[in-house]
Amino acid sequence: GDSVTQMEGPVTLSEEAFLTINCTYTATGYPSLFWYVQYPGEGLQLLLKATKADDKGSNKGFEATYRKETTSFHLEKGSVQVSDSAVYFCALGLPGTYKYIFGTGTRLKVLA
Amino acid sequence: DADVTQTPRNRITKTGKRIMLECSQTKGHDRMYWYRQDPGLGLRLIYYSFDVKDINKGEISDGYSVSRQAQAKFSLSLESAIPNQTALYFCATSDSSNIQYFGAGTRLSVL
C-alpha cells in the first residue's frame, strides 16, 4: 500500500551545519509530495511541495527534489539556524483523492 | 485570528465520558480533516469530509464520530473516551492545490 518512510530522529546539529532528512515513498500513480514543519506548540505548516517528477520545491533555504527513479524527496538545507529546530514531516498526496499520508516525523535540534 | 481554530486547546477527561472537539475555519475550503498525532506514529487520519453531506472514515475511525455542521465547522466526538485515545488531535482543511492548513491542535488526556 501507499506509505512514507522518513529517517528517525532526533537529529542534532550545530548552527550553520548542513542538513539532510531522508524521505522515501511508495505510491501508485503520481502523488504530490510535501514537507511540513511543526514548531513547538503549533500545528503543522507547509514548508515546500513538488507535484511532478524532477520538480524542486524550495522555501526559507530548504530544498527537496521529487525523484521518481528513487522514490525519494529528501529535505536539505545548506546552513541551519537555531530557529529551524522543529519536527519535520514528509507527506504524500494520493492522486485523485485529496487524502494524504504522513511520515512519522523527524525532530531537528540545532545548537548555537 | 487563526484561519483554522480548534477548541479546546487542552482537555483532561475521565474514561467513559463523552467529549467533543470543535474545529472552525475561515478559509472557505470544502475539505476538512481530523488527525491524531502520537509519538513515533506521525499523523493518522480519523475522518474526512469533502463537503457538508460527504463524510468518510479514515484509517482509525473506531471509537470516534464526526459532525459537519456547516462548511466552516467540523466536530470530532469521542462517545466513550478510553485512555488509549490520549493524543494530540489536529483539524485541517485543504485547498484545490492540495495544500493542507492545520489548526494548533487539541491535547487530550483520558484518565
Side-chain angles (χ1 to χ4, degrees):
Chain A
D2 303 306
S3 66
V4 174
T5 302
Q6 62 182 106
M7 61 188 289
E8 289 196 23
V11 174
T12 303
L13 295 173
S14 298
E15 208 166 22
E16 299 183 3
F18 184 85
L19 169 71
T20 300
I21 300 178
N22 291 336
C23 172
T24 57
Y25 68 90
T26 302
T28 52
Y30 300 93
S32 296
L33 299 174
F34 306 85
W35 277 100
Y36 284 84
V37 59
Q38 182 182 28
Y39 297 104
E42 298 182 12
L44 283 71
Q45 56 186 273
L46 179 71
L47 181 59
L48 52 85
K49 63 177 267 191
T51 57
K52 61 183 187 297
D54 300 325
D55 266 2
K56 177 184 282 189
S58 62
N59 187 26
K60 299 181 181 180
F62 291 89
E63 294 183 339
T65 301
Y66 190 141
R67 302 284 189 199
K68 189 163 177 61
E69 63 277 12
T70 55
T71 62
S72 65
F73 193 55
H74 303 322
L75 182 68
E76 297 182 337
K77 186 175 186 183
S79 177
V80 295
Q81 305 300 312
V82 172
S83 57
D84 294 327
S85 298
V87 181
Y88 292 82
F89 290 90
C90 184
L92 67 85
L94 299 176
T97 70
Y98 293 106
K99 290 173 62 179
Y100 309 85
I101 295 177
F102 287 83
T104 54
T106 302
R107 182 174 300 277
L108 170 66
K109 184 173 184 180
V110 181
L111 304 177
Chain B
D1 287 343
D3 294 322
V4 182
T5 302
Q6 293 184 234
T7 56
R9 292 294 314 277
N10 293 279
R11 178 75 184 269
I12 300 173
T13 191
K14 294 182 179 180
T15 297
K17 294 290 187 181
R18 182 182 189 277
I19 67 162
M20 179 183 290
L21 309 183
E22 300 190 1
C23 177
S24 62
Q25 52 118 344
T26 58
K27 299 191 76 66
H29 295 160
D30 288 324
R31 290 181 284 275
M32 298 188 74
Y33 306 77
W34 276 104
Y35 294 92
R36 66 177 277 176
Q37 183 181 17
D38 299 277
L41 296 178
L43 271 71
R44 292 182 291 165
L45 182 62
I46 306 172
Y47 271 94
Y48 60 103
S49 170
F50 288 170
D51 67 38
V52 175
K53 296 182 179 179
D54 179 33
I55 293 177
N56 306 278
K57 293 182 177 181
E59 61 179 306
I60 55 163
S61 59
D62 288 348
Y64 302 94
S65 62
V66 291
S67 173
R68 185 82 184 265
Q69 301 96 324
Q71 187 207 37
K73 296 184 181 295
F74 192 36
S75 300
L76 176 73
S77 293
L78 286 66
E79 298 301 326
S80 179
I82 56 177
N84 76 1
Q85 292 177 313
T86 293
L88 187 55
Y89 290 84
F90 286 104
C91 175
T93 70
S94 74
D95 62 13
S96 57
S97 64
N98 262 0
I99 295 171
Q100 293 216 290
Y101 299 86
F102 286 82
T106 295
R107 187 169 296 280
L108 175 65
S109 295
V110 182
L111 305 179

